[in-house]
Amino acid sequence: MSRTEQPGQPGQPGRHGQSGTGRRRPPTIHDVAREAGVSRGTVSRVLNGGHNVSPAALDAVNSAIRKTGYTVNRHARSLITGRSDSVAFLLTEPQERFFEDPNFNVLLRGCTAALAAHDIPLLLMIAGTEAERRRNMRYIAGHVDGVLLVSSHSGDPVAARLHEAGVPLVACGKPLGQGSKVSYVAADDRDGARDMVRYLYESGRRRIGTVSGPLDTPGGVERLAGYREMLAECGLPADDALIVPGDYSRASGEAAAALLLERAPDLDAVFVASDLMAQGVLAALEKGGRRVPEDVAVGGFDDSPAALASRPELTTIRQPWDRISAEMVRVLLARIGGEEPAAVILPTELVRRDSA
């Protein structure tokens, strides 16, 4: 041990940050290495992801970090690595949608928790207008290591701009028109829609309408495709009068259901592409004097808090939000680490309640 490493010498750092004059200082990477009985380089590799470190050394370093109370100096680390050790959650919707739609909050909480396991903070950014997109893009370049992109619309330039700028990103849902250039994590929207329509058919319904999501979003496109496919498989005729698009808001669901009742008074079931829109459908059916599920069965999509808050509680398709958020973080950290783009599609689940 060199002279500067001897604990207790006057004016020199002692064990775990105790100086010779009795003053405390923050523990350093050298303290961690000394406590763990490994080299400083090994500690550095652990702090940067644990690559090429034996399990025994990894355990020793993590134990030493806890014992010494060592925390990373993020500013110093960013100067060395060129990284900020932060990630952006970028929602490309108007601000009011963030507060109205419970799915965004569930996804945000899940991503925050998944990143916390890596000691990485998450920045919430909203870009519902072109001006907001420009401001956020200026900040993202050089200030965050990657982006979790939520609610991408066809023609929205954000994904393409991030890709062109070399910013690692992972989209929630397959970005339309981006091909294999962008990593994404999605629930199996098409299969989930098929399951719901099949369930409505098997329960005896024959005039099954749908309130689709926006048709410039991957979820809107895929869920409508699943609806059409299953109608055909069940031998039910295609009828465009039974299809009304919404925008995932409660108000759009109510307006769409009113139009469906006007077009098809014999409607006996509705597949709704989100639980929030389904709440609006329930309100319209009540105003129209229809009982749920006796007269009209209603099936939603998401299994969000809106499903349980509905009266009656919604039969719906569960998206695995915990897995989606965890996979988005896993794939993004892999992209930041230099891995190629990846696509992850997760299964959905039919949840039976009282509305169908």
Side-chain angles (χ1 to χ4, degrees):
M1 185 177 291
S2 69
R3 179 177 179 80
T4 57
E5 293 174 328
Q6 293 292 341
Q9 292 189 31
Q12 295 296 331
R15 192 171 181 81
H16 302 168
Q18 179 70 50
S19 74
T21 60
R23 293 192 303 272
R24 297 286 297 179
R25 61 158 176 77
T28 69
I29 193 172
H30 299 284
D31 298 321
V32 175
R34 186 161 46 240
E35 179 67 39
V38 299
S39 69
R40 182 185 180 281
T42 297
V43 176
S44 181
R45 287 195 295 275
V46 170
L47 294 175
N48 285 285
H51 304 293
N52 301 317
V53 178
S54 71
L58 183 63
D59 288 344
V61 171
N62 284 329
S63 177
I65 289 172
R66 290 191 295 271
K67 187 171 183 179
T68 61
Y70 174 77
T71 57
V72 176
N73 183 325
R74 294 191 178 277
H75 178 67
R77 181 175 173 178
S78 67
L79 293 175
I80 296 171
T81 65
R83 295 180 181 175
S84 67
D85 281 339
S86 62
V87 165
F89 182 99
L90 181 59
L91 176 63
T92 57
E93 293 285 352
Q95 291 188 20
E96 57 269 21
R97 288 294 308 282
F98 175 74
F99 296 102
E100 179 188 22
D101 194 324
N103 293 328
F104 297 141
N105 289 279
V106 171
L107 189 61
L108 177 63
R109 286 197 301 270
C111 290
T112 300
L115 285 166
H118 299 273
D119 197 28
I120 297 174
L122 184 64
L123 284 69
L124 171 61
M125 308 178 80
I126 297 177
T129 67
E130 178 57 28
E132 289 173 341
R133 286 193 287 270
R134 287 197 301 269
R135 286 195 297 272
N136 285 320
M137 287 297 299
R138 286 198 301 268
Y139 181 85
I140 285 169
H143 287 88
V144 300
D145 295 329
V147 172
L148 299 166
L149 180 62
V150 181
S151 192
S152 179
H153 293 255
S154 175
D156 187 339
V158 171
R161 289 176 184 175
L162 290 170
H163 178 72
E164 291 168 3
V167 177
L169 76 145
V170 175
C172 182
K174 183 178 181 179
L176 297 175
Q178 294 297 316
S180 62
K181 297 185 295 183
V182 174
S183 294
Y184 67 90
V185 177
D188 195 334
D189 294 299
R190 184 176 301 215
D191 197 54
R194 288 169 55 87
D195 285 346
M196 179 58 76
V197 176
R198 182 189 298 111
Y199 174 74
L200 294 171
Y201 177 82
E202 290 177 348
S203 67
R205 312 294 171 158
R206 294 297 181 267
R207 286 287 279 170
I208 305 172
T210 187
V211 179
S212 76
L215 298 181
D216 65 345
T217 64
V221 170
E222 289 294 303
R223 294 170 202 177
L224 180 58
Y227 162 83
R228 284 176 163 150
E229 287 176 1
M230 188 48 61
L231 284 186
E233 288 185 26
C234 293
L236 296 178
D239 186 349
D240 286 344
L242 293 177
I243 301 172
V244 179
D247 64 6
Y248 291 139
S249 70
R250 188 185 188 281
S252 75
E254 185 169 355
L259 183 56
L260 281 174
L261 289 174
E262 180 182 325
R263 290 178 176 178
D266 58 342
L267 184 79
D268 63 6
V270 187
F271 163 53
V272 192
S274 82
D275 293 340
L276 194 61
M277 288 197 300
Q279 284 190 332
V281 170
L282 292 174
L285 291 173
E286 183 178 6
K287 289 179 181 178
R290 308 300 175 91
R291 298 169 301 164
V292 177
E294 292 86 355
D295 300 325
V296 181
V298 177
F301 203 106
D302 292 330
D303 197 26
S304 70
L308 291 175
S310 299
R311 293 294 177 269
E313 293 185 354
L314 280 172
T315 292
T316 189
I317 296 296
R318 175 175 293 157
Q319 294 204 62
W321 291 112
D322 289 345
R323 289 189 63 192
I324 290 171
S325 55
E327 283 296 295
M328 287 181 68
V329 168
R330 182 189 65 80
V331 173
L332 181 61
L333 295 181
R335 289 288 293 130
I336 292 171
E339 294 188 18
E340 293 298 311
V344 178
I345 298 178
L346 299 171
T348 58
E349 177 186 358
L350 177 67
V351 180
R352 297 172 178 83
R353 295 197 180 98
D354 300 329
S355 67

